[in-house]
Amino acid sequence: MNAYVADFSAPKDISRSRVEEYIFANSFDRPTLVIDTDRVARQFRALRAGLGQADIHYAVKANPAPEILHTLVGLGSHFDAASRVEIEMCLAQGARPEQVSFGNTIKKVSDIAWAHEVGINLFAADAEEELEKLAEHAPGAQVYIRLIVENCQADWPLTRKFGCAGDKAPALFAYAKELGLKPVGLSFHVGSQTRRAEMWGDVLDQVASVWANLKSEGHALDLLNIGGGFPAFYGQAIDAPEAYARQVMEMVQARFGDVARVMAEPGRGLVAEAGAIAAEVVLVSKKSENDLHRWVYLDIGRFSGLAETEGEAIRYQFATQRDHEAFAPCVLAGPSCDSADVLYERRPVELPVGLKSGDKVAIRNCGAYTSTYASVGFNGFPPLDVVVI
Amino acid sequence: MNAYVADFSAPKDISRSRVEEYIFANSFDRPTLVIDTDRVARQFRALRAGLGQADIHYAVKANPAPEILHTLVGLGSHFDAASRVEIEMCLAQGARPEQVSFGNTIKKVSDIAWAHEVGINLFAADAEEELEKLAEHAPGAQVYIRLIVENCQADWPLTRKFGCAGDKAPALFAYAKELGLKPVGLSFHVGSQTRRAEMWGDVLDQVASVWANLKSEGHALDLLNIGGGFPAFYGQAIDAPEAYARQVMEMVQARFGDVARVMAEPGRGLVAEAGAIAAEVVLVSKKSENDLHRWVYLDIGRFSGLAETEGEAIRYQFATQRDHEAFAPCVLAGPSCDSADVLYERRPVELPVGLKSGDKVAIRNCGAYTSTYASVGFNGFPPLDVVVI
């Protein structure tokens, strides 16, 4: 635990990771995500050690950089893909089709047919129409049914967008069989950024109850996909990855016993801490003489890579070259002419008082859900650049 | 007014615009924005007729499609640019530098220097540091000061991100002069999608008070930039463009008298109704047998072009090939594996009951703030394609 905590420091701690050192030692024309694939490999090994025999299916959507996929293929990772393009990216880096699952419950029929053609054989579904599409375009495929679970403990609880209610699972299992598919098990998602392993208990109980019910109805269950939710450090304490994963697996074992195949889908928990963004201060101002806080505007905002600041959900940490100076709160905003492009206003951010236009800012632990979220060219700003070191 | 209302129909009215006809007559591999530049030209002429001698500076960020810029250059429009890239786009379509203002209050110094070099001479600012940057990198340039105004009547009121408080304007005018810049006037923004001209009154009063105060302090004021806010039709009644613009100008005249130069910056109000998006239904499902509403999933969502559905702020209208059938409410969501990618849930959308996977959907009046908002490749989905007819 100690080494881990030292690695990811509190706001005013000025110890720097390798990507942060790189950011302060180099110049950048525009906001740039710097990724350390060694750090990805270290995190993968830590999670694998904790997850035991569970297969890691990296959630490609978190960051599909070819170098990350290549590193993970080399380590024997499996992959969870959201679309045809993500599957192609995995295969291009040497993943075999049987290592890739098509985990989006909302798939175009042309993508299903293409995936089936190239040998993908494991799909997610949560509805009758999706099963019909799979039966027609990927006949005989394995399918797991995604459940809705309730979890108020995650930093970013999921909506009801994905999954079906538990009482619908038996009908979907039966319908899948009737259509000639192979319903092999269940999946769920505990909620993004579930900071402590103990927060999984309640959700695992809900899934175990549906699981037991399906077994009692005579369905064979070979696969439990525990999804993602593995956290990254954004200022609030989290469990270290190996201990976290081990505790989750102990909780799984206690509720489900020996399951033939367990899958886990870390995305953020695998790559977020392996990246940082090089950004720049563009303006520091006060709106009126009576204003409590400064406004600090960066050259990156919600539409150019920091989409996860929506609702101030993910609170990134910052490093500057003034971290020895005095700090004060400020409102932090992006550079676009869009009034919604404000990062932190309700809960202002502590930044050095001396910060000014032209100062470099490293945004920490930005390896997940940044580069591909960036818009193509909103306000004429180019998407986030990516550099792998 | 009548012709206008007939053009943009209520949800179940099945009259179709030219872009909608094109969408239902053609096939698309992926979500595609179809734009009608004749419709842009018609709207420009209507707004110009109402705005009288005020210069239209098209807010390029709304949609920088080269064909739109080219059309507007041909009609004598001026342009409001948010960045170097947007200025380059305008110049590439034949705009002269003196027709382009650099309206972002948050500018990189390298962009200021470049703009000054190519002949841009009108800049926005709302803070001391921005004036210092302008004085150093665009010495002697004209600058207008943006004010914060309060308006609770717009559909999407702006935050305090842009502008300074009125009591700060005199100090910024004085400081600009001291730095050798030419402070020429004021700008403000009434709020996006201000549906009725009468909603401008209160905001114009606030600006007029600052204006009078500056004049009484001996500042010459040659420029009033009334910004955007010109509405598009999203289901709620709006004034027709010419009448709307004329009424706004009458209100301006009543409060400011004869101003040497008035600028207006329509974006949405100029191009939104000239475009529609071709999309497709990917899945229709119920989460449980007891659910009140269906979920309908499209192949486009918040991260691939419909960013303005955030908070359900902009409520797009839809056309399908089942618009003669029965309708019922549904929750509408995008295709990505992101739980935040839900378009309308708090206020469900009325769509045909028979809708199913593969059905085409035209999303109406999508010409503004869609194509450039799309992410580069979130979840492996490509950005919105654009076709100009």
Side-chain angles (χ1 to χ4, degrees), chain A residues 83 104 108 129 133 161 165 168 282 284 286-287 297 299 302 310 334-336 338 357 373-374 376 379, chain B residues 83 104 108 129 133 161 165 168 282 284 286-287 297 299 302 310 334-336 338 357 373-374 376 379:
Chain A
S83 65
N104 193 340
K108 281 203 163 183
E129 193 180 52
K133 286 153 60 182
K161 180 176 176 187
K168 204 176 162 173
V282 184
V284 180
K286 278 211 163 190
K287 297 292 169 184
Y297 300 86
D299 62 353
R302 285 191 49 207
E310 179 180 342
S336 71
D338 191 307
S357 174
Y373 267 94
V376 281
N379 274 222
Chain B
S83 65
N104 194 340
K108 282 203 164 184
E129 193 179 51
K133 287 153 61 182
K161 180 177 176 186
K168 205 176 161 172
V282 184
V284 179
K286 279 211 163 188
K287 298 290 168 185
Y297 300 86
D299 62 352
R302 285 191 48 207
E310 179 180 341
S336 72
D338 192 306
S357 174
Y373 267 94
V376 279
N379 274 223

Side-chain angles (χ1 to χ4, degrees), chain A residues 28-31 61 64 80-86 89 103-109 111 126-130 133 148 156-168 171 280-291 295 297-299 302-303 307-308 310-311 333-342 345 355-357 369 371-383, chain B residues 28-31 61 64 80-86 89 103-109 111 126-130 133 148 156-168 171 280-291 295 297-299 302-303 307-308 310-311 333-342 345 355-357 369 371-383:
Chain A
F28 304 88
D29 282 346
R30 56 167 160 138
K61 58 183 177 288
D80 164 54
S83 65
R84 171 177 171 162
V85 169
E86 286 194 355
M89 287 170 158
N104 193 340
T105 51
I106 310 152
K107 296 174 286 296
K108 281 203 163 183
V109 293
D111 288 1
D126 65 4
E128 292 83 351
E129 193 180 52
E130 195 71 11
K133 286 153 60 182
I148 296 178
W156 200 333
L158 303 180
T159 63
R160 282 165 55 80
K161 180 176 176 187
F162 304 106
C164 65
D167 60 8
K168 204 176 162 173
E280 194 180 300
V281 174
V282 184
L283 178 66
V284 180
S285 69
K286 278 211 163 190
K287 297 292 169 184
S288 92
E289 296 313 325
N290 311 322
D291 260 19
W295 281 65
Y297 300 86
L298 301 179
D299 62 353
R302 285 191 49 207
F303 299 101
E308 289 212 310
E310 179 180 342
S336 71
C337 289
D338 191 307
S339 61
D341 187 13
V342 175
E345 183 173 13
L355 220 55
K356 63 180 176 47
S357 174
Y369 301 115
S371 53
T372 52
Y373 267 94
S375 69
V376 281
F378 178 60
N379 274 222
F381 297 116
Chain B
F28 304 89
D29 282 345
R30 54 167 161 139
K61 59 183 177 285
D80 164 54
S83 65
R84 171 177 172 162
V85 169
E86 285 193 356
M89 287 169 157
N104 194 340
T105 51
I106 310 152
K107 296 173 285 297
K108 282 203 164 184
V109 293
D111 288 1
D126 65 4
E128 292 83 350
E129 193 179 51
E130 196 70 13
K133 287 153 61 182
I148 296 176
W156 199 333
L158 303 180
T159 63
R160 282 166 56 80
K161 180 177 176 186
F162 304 106
C164 65
D167 60 9
K168 205 176 161 172
E280 193 181 300
V281 175
V282 184
L283 178 67
V284 179
S285 69
K286 279 211 163 188
K287 298 290 168 185
S288 92
E289 296 313 326
N290 311 322
D291 261 19
W295 281 66
Y297 300 86
L298 301 179
D299 62 352
R302 285 191 48 207
F303 299 101
E308 289 212 310
E310 179 180 341
S336 72
C337 289
D338 192 306
S339 61
D341 187 13
V342 175
E345 184 173 13
L355 219 55
K356 63 180 175 51
S357 174
Y369 302 114
S371 53
T372 52
Y373 267 94
S375 70
V376 279
F378 180 60
N379 274 223
F381 296 115

Side-chain angles (χ1 to χ4, degrees), chain B residues 45-74:
Chain B
R45 290 193 188 97
L47 285 170
R48 182 165 57 186
L51 285 168
Q53 80 264 55
D55 286 329
I56 293 179
H57 281 241
Y58 170 55
V60 178
K61 59 183 177 285
N63 193 327
E67 298 87 345
I68 289 178
L69 299 180
H70 187 81
T71 299
L72 291 174
V73 168

